[in-house]
Amino acid sequence: MKIYIFIKPIINFFLIGLLITTISRLVLFLIFMERVTQTPDYWMIFPIGLRMDIILLSYISFLPTLLLAVLPDNYLQKIKKFFSFYFIAFLFLLLFMELASYDFIKEYDTRPNKLFIDYLIYPKEVVGTLLKSYLTSMLFSFLVLGIALYYSIKKAAFWFYPKFVAYRTKLMLFPLVAFLLFFGARSSLVSKRPINASNAIFSTDQLTNNLGLNSMYTVGFALYSLKNESNAAKMYGEMDTNEAISRVKKYMGVPQANFTDANLPLMHLQKTNTTLAKTYNVVIFLQESLGAEYVGSLGGLPLTPEFDKLTKEGMLFSNLYCTGTRSVRGIEAVVTGFLPSPSESVVKLSNSQTGFYTLAENLREKGYQTSFIYGGMANFDNMAAFFNGNGFSKIIDEKDYDSSKAAFKGTWGYSDEDLATKANSYFKSMGNKPFFSLMFSTSNHEPFEFPDGRIKLYDKKKNTVNNAMKYADFSIGKFFEMAKKEAYFKNTIFLVIADHNTRTYGKNLVPINKFHIPALLIGPNVSKGEAYKKLCSQIDIAPTLLSFIGMDINDPMPGRNLMSLAANVPGRAIMQFHDNNAFRVENQVVILQPNTKPLQFEMKNDTVLIPTKLNPELAKDALAHITTASYLYKERKYRMKGQK
């Protein structure tokens, strides 16, 4: 009885916390039951979930338990409100995270993680999206939170105020209670390491594994794991740096004699077609969320008639896979050619804000005018700071548009056709100066806003992803319609490419079908009406693009120049899905997960992956690309020779 009185606030906290997480897990299970029950032993999400919930609640309970044990009763009575505030605050946060989980899972196919925190620093765009797309969920959540907070405060004294227990008795009981909390937090006395998120992995379905966690834990674990970002070996395994670099070079298809700088291990000379008469401008039109499933010419929905027409004027990459699921990862791949790593995209990392390789920096050294043109605010996702520090001389964003002449301004900024008009006007002003520019669209982004009267709606309801895709395609067509009337058009290499797909979800550890994206090259000396059909990665497009500009280039990009790749070389793609990294060579895929052994699958198609025996060499190649990315970033080895 005395031990119950001593730890009554802790027991009540545990009971309420477990009630919140268990009910939430049961509700999520029922919502996603059709998918989850396809997983063998799916019921394990409940015992695993209980274990992970106890770990979280045990960690939170250490401080109040220590205070209950060491402080005399008269001091405890003075700070009794602290206990109610402490426990209610954490229970409120726990409930808030569980209420937010459903919409986050619908969007990202996983529980809230670091992305959840990232978006909180952009209130304008995020709040606008929430109000227009998730208003019902928000109102329901505020109602539940309000009711919970009211009853928590009303019952705080009964639930959480400490009760009198003789000081000697508390000191005697404390070792037992402390041991129980220690055991609860570690969840094991045998393992050398505390149990963590990787111990919840029991299936090849990412979402099912995640249901065995709770959302406060996943966000907290993601933030804690940031300490590992600079050292991939801590998450996926160890490899000697020289071996890792050698394995990466093996996939580049560059002769050893072309590597030009021992201090910058991937720096190499990329030769171009010497018969080209001149150098050409470069324009990259980066498309928000334009997955292959929405592109008619790639067998998707009939939403891209303009893009499909343009494929007859250039080269379509029909078997291309993006490196990640966020815009900054797409920017990283397309503009820098950098390998996806377990850390955040280099667009946001501190060590790459200056002195990091980009196409803009490379071409600026060659005398090009360089620019970034965007319809929204360029500070989103730290784009402006990264671009400004790495070769982009001019940044045009929302503040540079004339609202009186604009077609439409929505939550994320000016529409894609406004972007097209602004870019065309700026390119005309360049005259005979060579230029490189990155255009980045916004319209195909939830809440999917665009002007009326531009397209024949595919869905009856206007603001849907399908209609936004069709409008984005309309704007691509409008841009090229304007550009073809200008002198710069015939002297420019154009690349239209997606940053990533829309919602990335699926029953596999990495839903490979959701990484399939389009890319289209148009310009002088680019084959017309042809498709490049070999498997390739988003990081291959930047070096391939440089092969058409009319000059030899030194660069450190590990991607392949697909125009010089031998026909017998197997295709390769690299994909990152949250903390899972897929390394694909033709139909063989190795998936690396944190703190666990790699798995290999044979692809029957983009959605059917059959477990197969692990090829140790392929697994080492997969790890080598992650290790190399971490090394190049940390040691500042991914730059032009003149950059500091």
Side-chain angles (χ1 to χ4, degrees), residues 283 285 287 303-310 313 401 405-408 414-425 427-428 439 443 451-455 469-486 488-489 494 496 522:
V283 171
F285 198 169
Q287 294 295 312
L303 303 175
T304 56
E306 298 299 328
F307 181 90
D308 297 342
K309 283 190 291 186
L310 287 169
E313 302 177 28
Y401 288 72
K405 299 179 181 179
F408 183 82
Y414 287 94
S415 70
D416 287 0
E417 65 181 287
D418 292 313
L419 169 68
T421 302
K422 172 67 76 172
N424 182 62
S425 177
F427 299 156
K428 286 194 298 182
M439 303 165 58
S443 294
D452 294 327
R454 298 318 197 259
I455 61 168
M469 288 283 183
K470 198 168 182 182
Y471 173 73
D473 175 72
F474 162 83
S475 300
I476 294 172
K478 181 168 183 175
F479 171 70
F480 277 94
E481 180 184 356
M482 291 187 292
K484 289 174 182 178
K485 298 175 182 177
E486 308 300 335
Y488 73 83
F489 178 79
F494 296 91
V496 183
I522 296 176

Side-chain angles (χ1 to χ4, degrees), residues 308-329:
D308 297 342
K309 283 190 291 186
L310 287 169
T311 61
K312 298 178 175 61
E313 302 177 28
M315 179 183 294
L316 175 67
F317 295 83
S318 60
N319 202 9
L320 172 68
Y321 289 77
C322 61
T323 58
T325 61
R326 293 195 61 202
S327 295
V328 284
R329 189 65 76 188

Side-chain angles (χ1 to χ4, degrees), residues 20 29 62 75 141 154 395 458 463 473 561 595 638 640:
I20 292 171
F29 166 73
F62 273 126
Y75 284 101
S141 297
K154 190 174 181 179
I395 294 176
Y458 184 81
N463 299 116
D473 175 72
N561 173 10
N595 307 311
Y638 196 77
M640 297 294 294

Side-chain angles (χ1 to χ4, degrees), residues 519-633:
L520 176 65
L521 270 177
I522 296 176
N525 303 293
V526 178
S527 299
K528 294 184 178 182
E530 291 189 9
Y532 184 89
K533 298 180 181 179
K534 180 180 288 189
L535 172 68
C536 53
S537 173
Q538 201 173 26
I539 63 169
D540 298 329
I541 299 302
T544 302
L545 174 65
L546 289 183
S547 71
F548 288 99
I549 68 172
M551 67 176 78
D552 293 346
I553 289 285
N554 274 287
D555 70 75
M557 293 188 289
R560 298 163 157 178
N561 173 10
L562 300 174
M563 297 299 100
S564 64
L565 193 66
N568 62 345
V569 175
R572 181 269 288 119
I574 306 171
M575 292 156 276
Q576 183 185 64
F577 183 57
H578 305 302
D579 285 336
N580 296 340
N581 290 265
F583 189 81
R584 177 185 174 189
V585 177
E586 294 299 344
N587 69 335
Q588 295 297 314
V589 184
V590 169
I591 296 180
L592 303 182
Q593 302 173 82
N595 307 311
T596 191
K597 294 180 180 179
L599 299 173
Q600 186 165 336
F601 301 86
E602 180 179 348
M603 289 184 57
K604 297 301 182 183
N605 53 54
D606 274 6
T607 57
V608 179
L609 276 63
I610 308 299
T612 188
K613 183 179 179 181
L614 182 70
N615 179 338
E617 287 301 305
L618 191 60
K620 288 180 181 179
D621 289 342
L623 178 59
H625 283 76
I626 296 175
T627 303
T628 298
S630 181
Y631 169 77
L632 293 174
Y633 167 75

Side-chain angles (χ1 to χ4, degrees), residues 37-61:
T37 52
Q38 295 179 25
T39 300
D41 300 325
Y42 65 85
W43 54 267
M44 286 183 64
I45 64 174
F46 294 103
I48 288 174
L50 179 62
R51 188 182 193 185
M52 303 308 294
D53 297 342
I54 290 173
I55 290 174
L56 175 69
L57 297 173
S58 296
Y59 274 113
I60 296 172
S61 299

